[in-house]
Amino acid sequence: MTDKFAELTLVIIIAGAAIALFSNMSKRSFLNDNHWNGEIVALTIFTLISMVSFPLIDATLPWLEFADLRYYNEIGWLGLIKGILGLWLLHRAVRDYSATGEPQKKIVAKGIYRFIRYPFYSALLALVLAQLLLTQNWLAGVAGLITFALVYCLRVPRQEEDGLEKYGHHYLEYMSQTGDIWPRIPFKY
């Protein structure tokens, strides 16, 4: 994979993520069910800058070339695999969340949510890693990783707290059966 093909691949992945997020089905429930407070707006803006603007600038303009690392084809192919995984996870997260009808009234525990409580964040991590591996640019890669760390560390504890407040022991049971961004692997002793 050449560096130009990797940049084109990343642009296609960004377009695929936008399509998954803003499709007709997802607009109705996935985006509307999130309460848009100042923190979410700020994190959304930060995500758009670091995970959309930086990769697009890197792919189309020479402004970020100073931060380019030596390009390795093999790493680019790993980025493609991570990008495909991220798009699949994002599509499943949006589709399975939207399919529940009234997700605020009950725990979403069908589809991908049977295994992962926060598949949207799993997708975000996979897409961040794809961005790093495809651009092989330390600035774009670090910006994506910082974005993921901020989103994960600020949002997940609040969402866990909200789930416990709304659903009580049912949410504790759900937490014991699923992983947060990775599927829980049952260990038998």
Side-chain angles (χ1 to χ4, degrees):
M1 173 179 294
T2 66
D3 59 338
K4 294 299 176 195
F5 184 71
E7 290 171 346
L8 175 64
T9 301
L10 188 57
V11 169
I12 292 168
I13 288 170
I14 291 168
I19 289 168
L21 279 174
F22 298 107
S23 66
N24 285 336
M25 179 62 89
S26 68
K27 259 195 285 194
R28 278 183 274 157
S29 49
F30 187 75
L31 294 174
N32 291 339
D33 287 343
N34 291 311
H35 304 287
W36 289 87
N37 61 27
E39 178 183 283
I40 293 175
V41 170
L43 288 172
T44 301
I45 291 169
F46 195 62
T47 301
L48 289 173
I49 290 169
S50 66
M51 292 188 65
V52 177
S53 299
F54 278 5
L56 291 177
I57 289 169
D58 185 50
T60 58
L61 300 169
W63 299 349
L64 297 179
E65 284 182 4
F66 71 91
D68 282 346
L69 302 169
R70 183 169 175 222
Y71 189 81
Y72 293 96
N73 294 331
E74 299 81 10
I75 292 175
W77 286 109
L78 287 174
L80 174 64
I81 292 167
K82 284 290 184 189
I84 291 169
L85 173 66
L87 287 176
W88 178 79
L89 280 167
L90 185 60
H91 169 74
R92 287 298 307 262
V94 171
R95 188 188 75 182
D96 293 348
Y97 188 87
S98 299
T100 61
E102 301 265 346
Q104 293 296 322
K105 296 193 186 327
K106 60 184 176 183
I107 297 173
V108 178
K110 294 185 188 250
I112 193 90
Y113 290 89
R114 285 180 299 169
F115 309 104
I116 306 171
R117 288 190 304 282
Y118 302 107
F120 178 81
Y121 299 126
S122 302
L124 185 63
L125 178 58
L127 292 170
V128 162
L129 293 174
Q131 175 178 320
L132 175 64
L133 297 172
L134 286 167
T135 64
Q136 296 184 33
N137 179 294
W138 67 264
L139 182 60
V142 169
L145 289 172
I146 290 170
T147 297
F148 173 77
L150 278 172
V151 169
Y152 181 80
C153 291
L154 292 174
R155 296 303 309 151
V156 168
R158 286 192 178 101
Q159 290 178 327
E160 296 279 76
E161 190 177 297
D162 289 348
L164 289 168
E165 273 182 30
K166 282 182 189 175
Y167 308 114
H169 70 87
H170 296 292
Y171 196 76
L172 278 174
E173 184 179 318
Y174 177 60
M175 288 172 70
S176 72
Q177 296 169 354
T178 60
D180 56 355
I181 62 171
W182 301 111
R184 183 176 299 272
I185 299 170
F187 293 104
K188 294 185 180 182
Y189 297 101

